[in-house]
């Protein structure tokens, strides 16, 4: 039986692979919005077995608003301000990144199978596979791209992955809305601050290429 | 009451955005006074020990909070005089960020809930970022970008570590609140494998913030490009907060019977930091970068001391106090030097003794203090750490420790002597030194000296309480 949460996980993996392949900043931002919404929905659908309570649903709406609308909106504005829309000459090429993504999936399956989590159901294991892949792909984006905006997107993707790992492992966190709200607030402010810095980098260097910044070294 | 300690600066900091620019400096001073009085109330337990769902006043937290509050008082005093002499285009943002930063750091000091601690540490990164790029030069932008990105990614890994620790509890079907105080009670029942994994991720995450090598790469850039009062606050208060995060998890590991493992991890990271800073300090051309590398070294010393335990843990806590006082004083002196010469280059900073005698004195005294010369506290703390290591039989670790200390002293003393005692060669004095700017660094140094001569009982007891949970004692 194909559970609906498995479809969501497949969609997340698809968005991860697409973002590793994509060379347009605007397309990346849209992918992040999509990924944000799907990631927010995962805890909701995993908990359906126990029945969805009102708080969980309200929190889902908040998550979608922040991860799917607010943060991509901030990124959208940042991309609009920046003149260039393409990632030129990435440090690791697109095909190589895509290949790295595929290897990451294999690696995550291997790791998950060796963790000996007897108490986990199949869909929880799949969730863990997706989560580790998403986190790893975020790190790949962070290291393999030179544009500051793509690096922010890499950070967001990594954060999504860690959030999913939290969903799989630390269920108790998701019942403490104050804490989760605070984490979400941090994430939003982080993207806001990064957006401001990206904008200033663009003003000062006429580009958002981090390779241009190499003044400080020993 | 405990929540006041972080809510007051946060409210004041947010208010500054909406108030006239002129008021900013007075609000900064007022907040500093208010914060230190609230801290003093908490310190003497006027309000009694507190334990809420997310916050509690632990001895180690109070120690970090007290240092931070004391430093902030003098740093904000310095900031007011500093800003009177430099043109700062975004002064309201700077003032507001200083206060928000203080609020976030205070929240770290009193956080008890694992994730709340994480939230607060991440908040310190975000509130201090505007302090670094307030000048908006190419270099400061680069420093800010590195700082925000490296620290955010590092701290994201710490969140992963937090989830692992929570999972180590859920795996064995225990359900207690996920705060350090309640986890410490059930520590022995937690799953050790996941706990170890969680600890490693947390050390990597908070260690990035603390400046442990090899995750330290943001630190020299951020400390050298930030305006000097901000550098003093970053080095004196922020690094301690990150250390507190690591220390809390070390306590948990110790209670779970995995103290040997976490000690070794801390010693390994600590020694690496010391060696790395020894290598990089040798050929520094920028005196603020030199001080930044010295901070990496001192954080390494603290990590080693905590890792060794016993009397070395007492040494490490003393080291934290004295390092904060001396290093902030040095960064404030560096601010005076920067105002006077207009350059951060060691080669162009000549003849300080003749041009700026008082600054030369504070810089030299601070340098002697940070190198561990006897009248200052760092001598005692380093001595206690070495003593503790010999008692524990960790001869290899302590050999590397002493070797790094010698290398750093050799490298840094050459640079510092050159700045202070070299001849004056066609160097112009841009802004003359003023008493009000030289006084705060002097006060901080004198406090460090005073604490060597007389360690107040309440401070002594607090340190003892803080280290007793990792098996540290004063009597060795």
């Amino acid at each position: 039986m194909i559970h609906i949460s498995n479809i969501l996980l497949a969609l997340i993996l698809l968005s991860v692979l697409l973002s590793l392949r994509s060379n347009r900043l605007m397309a990346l931002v849209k992918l992040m919005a999509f990924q944000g919404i799907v990631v927010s929905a995962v805890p909701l659908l995993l908990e359906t077995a126990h029945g969805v309570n009102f708080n969980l649903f309200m929190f889902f709406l908040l998550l979608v608003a922040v991860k799917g609308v607010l943060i991509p909106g901030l990124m959208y504005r940042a991309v609009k301000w920046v003149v260039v829309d393409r990632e030129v000459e990435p440090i690791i090429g697109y095909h190589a990144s895509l290949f790295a993504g595929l290897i990451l999936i294999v690696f995550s399956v291997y790791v998950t199978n060796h963790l000996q989590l007897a108490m986990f159901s199949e869909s929880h294991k799949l969730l863990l596979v997706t989560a580790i892949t998403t986190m790893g792909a975020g790190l790949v984006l962070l290291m393999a791209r030179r544009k500051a905006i793509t690096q922010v997107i890499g950070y967001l993707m990594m954060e999504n992955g860690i959030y999913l790992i939290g969903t799989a492992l630390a269920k108790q966190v998701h019942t403490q809305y104050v804490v989760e709200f605070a984490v979400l607030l941090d994430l939003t402010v982080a993207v806001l601050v990064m957006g401001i810095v990206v904008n200033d980098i663009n003003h000062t260097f006429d580009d958002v290429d981090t390779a241009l910044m190499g003044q400080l070294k020993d | 009451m405990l929540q006041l300690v972080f809510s007051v600066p946060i409210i004041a900091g947010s208010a500054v955005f909406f108030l006239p620019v002129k008021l900013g400096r007075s609000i900064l001073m007022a907040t500093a006074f208010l914060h230190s009085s609230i801290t003093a109330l908490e310190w003497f337990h006027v309000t009694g020990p507190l334990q809420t769902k997310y916050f509690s006043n632990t001895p180690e937290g109070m120690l970090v909070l007290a240092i931070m509050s004391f430093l902030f008082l003098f740093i904000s005093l310095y900031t007011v005089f500093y800003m009177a002499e430099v043109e700062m285009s975004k002064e309201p943002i700077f003032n507001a960020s200083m206060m928000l930063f203080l609020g976030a750091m205070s929240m770290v000091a009193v956080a008890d809930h694992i994730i709340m601690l994480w939230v607060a540490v991440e908040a310190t990164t975000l509130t201090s970022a505007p302090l670094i790029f307030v000048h908006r030069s190419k270099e400061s932008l680069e420093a800010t970008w590195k700082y925000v990105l490296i620290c955010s990614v590092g701290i994201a890994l710490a969140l992963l570590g937090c989830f692992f620790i929570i999972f180590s509890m859920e795996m064995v079907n225990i359900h207690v609140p996920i705060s350090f105080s309640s986890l410490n009670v059930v520590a022995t029942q937690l799953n050790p494998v996941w706990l170890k994994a969680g600890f490693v991720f947390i050390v990597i995450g908070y260690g990035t913030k603390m400046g442990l090598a090899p995750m330290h790469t943001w630190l020299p850039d951020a400390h050298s490009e930030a305006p000097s009062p901000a550098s003093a606050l970053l080095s004196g208060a922020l690094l301690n907060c990150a250390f507190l995060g690591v220390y809390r998890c070390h306590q948990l590991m110790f209670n779970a019977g995995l103290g040997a493992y976490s000690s070794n991890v801390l010693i390994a990271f600590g020694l690496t930091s010391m060696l790395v800073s020894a290598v990089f300090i040798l050929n520094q051309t920028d005196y603020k970068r030199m001080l930044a590398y010295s901070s990496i070294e001192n954080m390494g010393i603290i990590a080693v001391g905590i890792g060794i335990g016993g009397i070395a843990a007492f040494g490490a806590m003393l080291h934290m106090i004295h390092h904060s006082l001396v290093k902030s004083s040095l960064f404030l002196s560096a601010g005076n030097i920067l105002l006077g010469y207009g350059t951060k280059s060691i080669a162009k900073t000549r003849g300080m003794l003749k041009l700026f005698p008082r600054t030369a004195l504070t810089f030299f005294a601070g340098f002697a203090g940070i190198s561990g010369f006897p009248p200052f506290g760092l001598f005692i703390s380093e001595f206690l750490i070495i003593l503790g290591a010999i008692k524990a039989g960790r001869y290899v670790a302590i050999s590397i420790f002493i070797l790094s200390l010698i290398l750093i002293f050799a490298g840094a003393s050459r640079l510092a002597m050159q700045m202070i005692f070299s001849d004056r060669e066609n160097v112009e004095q841009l802004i003359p030194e003023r008493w009000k700017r030289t006084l705060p660094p002097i006060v901080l140094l004198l406090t460090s000296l005073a604490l060597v001569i007389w360690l107040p009982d309440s401070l002594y007891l607090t340190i003892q309480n803080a280290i007793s949970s990792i098996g540290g004692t004063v009597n060795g």
Side-chain angles (χ1 to χ4, degrees), chain B residues 160-242:
Chain B
L160 192 61
C162 294
F163 287 147
F164 283 177
I165 288 182
I166 298 168
F167 185 63
S168 77
M169 176 187 80
E170 294 196 350
M171 203 179 185
V172 289
N173 272 320
I174 300 174
H175 295 285
V176 292
I178 39 183
S179 57
F180 285 106
S181 48
S182 33
L183 280 176
N184 277 329
V185 177
V186 294
T188 43
Q189 303 166 46
L190 301 179
N191 180 301
V193 178
W194 285 90
L195 209 53
K196 279 183 187 176
F199 180 75
V200 169
F201 274 102
I202 281 183
V203 170
I204 291 174
Y206 294 153
T208 309
K209 202 70 201 285
M210 186 179 158
L212 292 180
M215 298 86 72
H216 67 283
T217 46
W218 63 273
L219 196 146
D221 299 344
H223 282 58
S224 63
E225 292 308 320
S228 299
S231 318
L233 211 53
L234 284 175
S235 194
L238 174 67
L239 301 184
N240 292 349
C241 289

Side-chain angles (χ1 to χ4, degrees), chain B residues 67-241:
Chain B
I67 300 171
M68 172 202 314
S69 194
F70 185 79
L71 286 183
F72 194 82
L73 193 60
F74 289 97
I75 291 174
S76 58
L77 196 68
Y78 178 88
T79 309
V80 170
F81 299 132
Y82 181 85
M83 281 193 300
E85 295 185 65
V86 281
E87 282 297 311
M88 203 177 268
S89 54
K90 303 275 180 189
E91 199 193 302
I93 294 185
F94 188 81
N95 283 334
S97 302
M98 287 280 276
M99 283 177 257
L100 291 175
F101 185 36
L102 176 71
M105 287 193 298
S106 314
M107 199 165 156
V108 175
V110 296
D112 188 31
H113 192 281
I114 292 188
I115 310 278
M116 217 31 131
L117 179 77
W118 182 87
V119 167
V121 174
E122 172 73 15
T124 58
T125 312
L126 303 174
T127 48
S128 53
L131 295 178
I132 298 171
F133 86 117
V134 74
H135 287 318
R136 303 198 173 212
S137 64
K138 283 189 174 183
E139 288 81 14
S140 63
L141 266 176
E142 184 187 345
T144 316
W145 182 247
K146 273 191 188 169
Y147 175 57
V148 173
L149 208 65
I150 293 176
C151 285
S152 294
V153 170
I155 296 170
L157 291 177
L159 184 61
L160 192 61
C162 294
F163 287 147
F164 283 177
I165 288 182
I166 298 168
F167 185 63
S168 77
M169 176 187 80
E170 294 196 350
M171 203 179 185
V172 289
N173 272 320
I174 300 174
H175 295 285
V176 292
I178 39 183
S179 57
F180 285 106
S181 48
S182 33
L183 280 176
N184 277 329
V185 177
V186 294
T188 43
Q189 303 166 46
L190 301 179
N191 180 301
V193 178
W194 285 90
L195 209 53
K196 279 183 187 176
F199 180 75
V200 169
F201 274 102
I202 281 183
V203 170
I204 291 174
Y206 294 153
T208 309
K209 202 70 201 285
M210 186 179 158
L212 292 180
M215 298 86 72
H216 67 283
T217 46
W218 63 273
L219 196 146
D221 299 344
H223 282 58
S224 63
E225 292 308 320
S228 299
S231 318
L233 211 53
L234 284 175
S235 194
L238 174 67
L239 301 184
N240 292 349
C241 289

Side-chain angles (χ1 to χ4, degrees), chain B residues 6 41 76 86 163 180 256 266 276 332 343 358 397 404 432 442:
Chain B
F6 59 84
L41 281 179
S76 58
V86 281
F163 287 147
F180 285 106
L266 284 179
V276 164
L332 296 184
T343 174
R358 287 195 297 275
S404 319
I442 291 176

Side-chain angles (χ1 to χ4, degrees), chain A residues 142 148 151-152 155 162 165-166 169-173 176 178-179 186 190 200 204 210 213 215-216 218, chain B residues 54 113 115 119 122 126 133 136 139 141-142 145-146 149 153 156 163 167 169-170 176 225 284 289 293:
Chain A
L142 262 171
Q151 292 179 350
V152 178
Y155 167 70
I162 291 175
I165 292 180
L169 297 182
K171 295 170 205 92
Q172 201 190 339
V173 177
Q176 300 201 345
V178 177
V179 174
D186 259 2
D200 272 24
T204 314
T210 49
M213 304 191 287
Q215 310 272 329
L216 300 172
D218 288 298
Chain B
Y54 302 113
H113 192 281
I115 310 278
V119 167
E122 172 73 15
L126 303 174
F133 86 117
R136 303 198 173 212
E139 288 81 14
L141 266 176
E142 184 187 345
W145 182 247
K146 273 191 188 169
L149 208 65
V153 170
F163 287 147
F167 185 63
M169 176 187 80
E170 294 196 350
V176 292
E225 292 308 320
Q284 267 316 315
R289 282 184 90 82
Y293 274 109

Side-chain angles (χ1 to χ4, degrees), chain B residues 441-472:
Chain B
I442 291 176
V443 172
L444 292 176
L445 279 177
L446 286 180
T447 314
S448 171
L449 272 179
L451 286 180
V452 175
I453 300 162
W454 178 65
L455 194 66
D457 278 347
S458 70
L459 187 59
Y460 175 77
L461 281 176
T462 311
I463 298 178
Q464 211 172 21
N465 289 337
I467 58 173
S468 63
S469 49
I470 58 158

Side-chain angles (χ1 to χ4, degrees), chain A residues 25-33 66-85 149 152-153 156 191-192 195 198-199:
Chain A
L25 297 180
M26 209 45 110
L28 270 177
V29 172
K30 285 173 188 160
L31 270 170
M32 279 319 293
V66 173
K67 288 201 170 183
V69 181
L70 184 61
I71 290 177
L74 288 170
M75 297 302 299
Y76 182 84
R77 271 181 63 187
V79 173
K80 277 277 168 189
W81 277 329
V82 173
V83 200
V84 268
D85 182 43
I149 291 183
V152 178
I153 287 174
L156 279 175
V191 173
L192 191 67
V198 165
N199 189 33

